[in-house]
């Protein structure tokens, strides 16, 4: 037992991950007070200053330079700070805590389930609005179910799975930089007319970073009942979705639970004609609870698998 404790203590990367997950679940940072929220607000202020060109190429260039202006100083600052801290593991722990966000998704799921079960569409719209870029004021119960399901699936995929993946690859700095890049892509989402094409560079880079973790998690989602049919439907439907990582994840969950996802969505005053994916069942409060349960158990499995991999890497395999 003493040898096991000594061995685990020597593997600081694994202990930091376990510590961050446990600390976040026990005492999460409130969403309104989270530094990432301030980062997104600053991104919106910067966009107001530089996203002023009506030229497509100039707007694209402005979006690329704005992305560099936000991310490059952040990365340089984090890299410069790491050698100055007393204990590097504590530095990684702090950064992973800032990047990791399970509780916000769980709270959103519980609020949406409660609101939809009571047919309180007004409250459901109000709790969903801060998490999405689409218009929620006119969403029906069906629209709220679909939007809520998609938001939970992508939220867990990015704020939990992809954060842990990039932590395993690049440490605390990698995890936090991924989260900051994801927040920029949301703040400057080109699905809204005001940020097209300004936000295209940030979304494309996020798509590259999402590709491996979200697809690996999609395969983990598929395992179990009806795996073969779910996998086939995922491959077929995901070709029609614009972003490859989210495409696999949404179609995997949608077909696993036979839930209807996708379809038209309103961003600002523009209606986006998205393809319909998944199954045929319209998501309701009951189905959001199913999504919550499915993703929670798969996240625990992901953490266990990542822990084993980190142990093997530490042993030199």
């Amino acid at each position: 037992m003493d040898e096991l404790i000594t061995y685990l203590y020597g593997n600081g990367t694994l202990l930091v991950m376990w510590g961050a997950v446990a600390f976040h679940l026990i005492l999460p940072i409130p969403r309104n007070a989270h530094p990432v929220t301030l980062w997104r607000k600053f991104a919106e202020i910067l966009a107001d200053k530089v996203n002023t060109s009506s030229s497509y190429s100039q707007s694209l260039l402005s979006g690329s330079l704005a992305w560099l202006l936000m991310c490059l100083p952040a990365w340089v600052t984090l890299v410069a700070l790491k050698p100055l801290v007393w204990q590097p593991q504590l530095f990684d722990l702090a950064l992973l805590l800032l990047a990791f966000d399970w509780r916000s998704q769980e709270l959103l799921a519980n609020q949406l389930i409660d609101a939809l079960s009571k047919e309180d569409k007004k409250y459901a719209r109000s709790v969903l609005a801060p998490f999405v870029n689409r218009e929620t004021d006119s969403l029906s119960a069906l629209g709220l179910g679909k939007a809520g399901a998609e938001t939970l699936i992508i939220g867990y995929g990015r704020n939990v799975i992809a954060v842990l993946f990039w932590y395993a690859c690049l440490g605390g700095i990698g995890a936090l930089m991924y989260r900051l890049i994801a927040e920029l892509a949301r703040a400057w989402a080109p699905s809204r007319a005001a940020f097209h094409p300004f936000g295209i560079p940030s979304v494309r880079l996020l798509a590259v970073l999402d590709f491996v973790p979200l697809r690996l998690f999609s395969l983990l989602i598929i395992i179990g009942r009806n795996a073969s049919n779910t996998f086939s439907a995922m491959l077929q439907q995901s070709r029609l979705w614009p972003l490859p990582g989210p495409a696999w994840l949404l179609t995997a969950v949608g077909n696993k639970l036979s839930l209807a996802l996708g379809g038209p969505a309103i961003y600002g005053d523009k209606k986006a004609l998205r393809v319909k994916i998944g199954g045929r069942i319209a998501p309701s409060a009951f189905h959001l609870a199913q999504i919550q349960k499915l993703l929670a158990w798969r996240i625990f499995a992901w953490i266990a698998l990542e822990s084993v991999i980190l142990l093997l890497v530490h042993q030199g395999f």
Side-chain angles (χ1 to χ4, degrees):
M1 180 61 71
D2 291 340
E3 291 180 359
L4 178 61
I5 294 173
T6 302
Y7 175 74
L8 290 175
Y9 182 76
N11 190 350
T13 301
L14 183 57
L15 287 181
V16 166
M17 185 182 75
W18 288 351
V21 172
F23 192 90
H24 172 78
L25 293 178
I26 295 170
L27 190 64
I29 303 173
R31 178 179 173 82
N32 293 336
H34 202 290
V36 169
T37 303
L38 299 178
W39 167 268
R40 189 168 61 247
K41 293 295 183 183
F42 184 76
E44 293 170 354
I45 293 172
L46 178 62
D48 289 339
K49 300 293 184 181
V50 300
N51 183 26
T52 56
S53 176
S54 58
S55 167
Y56 186 95
S57 58
Q58 186 62 42
S59 179
L60 203 62
L61 177 61
S62 297
S64 301
L65 294 176
W67 186 93
L68 287 173
L69 183 61
M70 291 286 291
C71 292
L72 189 57
W75 177 74
V76 170
T77 301
L78 293 174
V79 171
L81 284 176
K82 188 166 185 177
L84 303 178
V85 299
W86 170 67
Q87 187 61 257
Q89 287 83 2
L90 293 179
F91 184 71
D92 281 340
L93 176 63
L95 297 188
L96 184 54
L97 278 172
L98 291 176
F100 189 77
D101 189 9
W102 185 330
R103 281 298 193 191
S104 292
Q105 310 307 315
E106 185 178 55
L107 178 61
L108 173 64
N110 292 336
Q111 290 175 329
L112 285 175
I113 291 168
D114 182 62
L116 291 178
S117 63
K118 297 177 180 177
E119 299 185 359
D120 189 349
K121 291 185 288 186
K122 183 178 180 180
Y123 179 65
R125 292 166 184 155
S126 67
V127 299
L128 182 62
F131 290 85
V132 297
N133 287 324
R134 68 173 74 181
E135 291 296 324
T136 60
D137 292 341
S138 59
L139 285 179
S140 62
L142 172 61
L144 287 167
K146 281 189 174 184
E150 293 171 15
T151 302
L152 290 174
I153 294 167
I154 298 301
Y156 277 117
R158 285 179 172 159
N159 297 342
V160 179
I161 297 301
V163 164
L164 291 177
F165 174 86
W166 287 110
Y167 166 73
C169 294
L170 301 173
I173 293 177
L176 183 57
M177 286 305 303
Y178 168 81
R179 180 68 189 279
L180 295 179
I181 291 169
E183 292 297 330
L184 282 184
R186 185 194 160 196
W188 299 340
S191 55
R192 292 175 292 172
F195 295 101
H196 184 82
F198 180 84
I200 289 178
S202 61
V203 168
R204 286 179 176 172
L205 181 60
L206 179 62
V208 172
L209 297 177
D210 278 344
F211 188 87
V212 174
L214 296 193
R215 287 201 164 194
L216 288 177
F217 188 55
S218 301
L219 296 177
L220 190 59
I221 291 287
I222 290 170
I223 294 173
R225 181 178 56 86
N226 203 26
S228 178
N229 292 336
T230 302
F231 183 71
S232 299
M234 180 190 73
L235 291 181
Q236 181 180 6
Q237 295 178 359
S238 61
R239 299 189 188 102
L240 306 175
W241 199 262
L243 298 176
W248 270 40
L249 187 54
L250 288 170
T251 53
V253 176
N255 286 285
K256 186 74 173 179
L257 301 177
S258 300
L259 299 179
L261 303 175
I266 299 176
Y267 297 92
D269 57 354
K270 182 181 178 181
K271 185 176 183 179
L273 299 177
R274 308 179 309 163
V275 297
K276 295 180 180 180
I277 56 177
R280 297 183 177 181
I281 301 174
S284 63
F286 171 77
H287 302 105
L288 293 185
Q290 281 189 314
I291 292 173
Q292 173 84 343
K293 181 179 179 180
L294 173 67
L295 294 179
W297 282 111
R298 292 304 194 270
I299 289 171
F300 284 127
W302 177 276
I303 293 173
L305 288 172
E306 188 168 318
S307 298
V308 171
I309 293 171
L310 289 174
L311 282 171
L312 293 175
V313 170
H314 185 70
Q315 285 183 322
F317 287 96

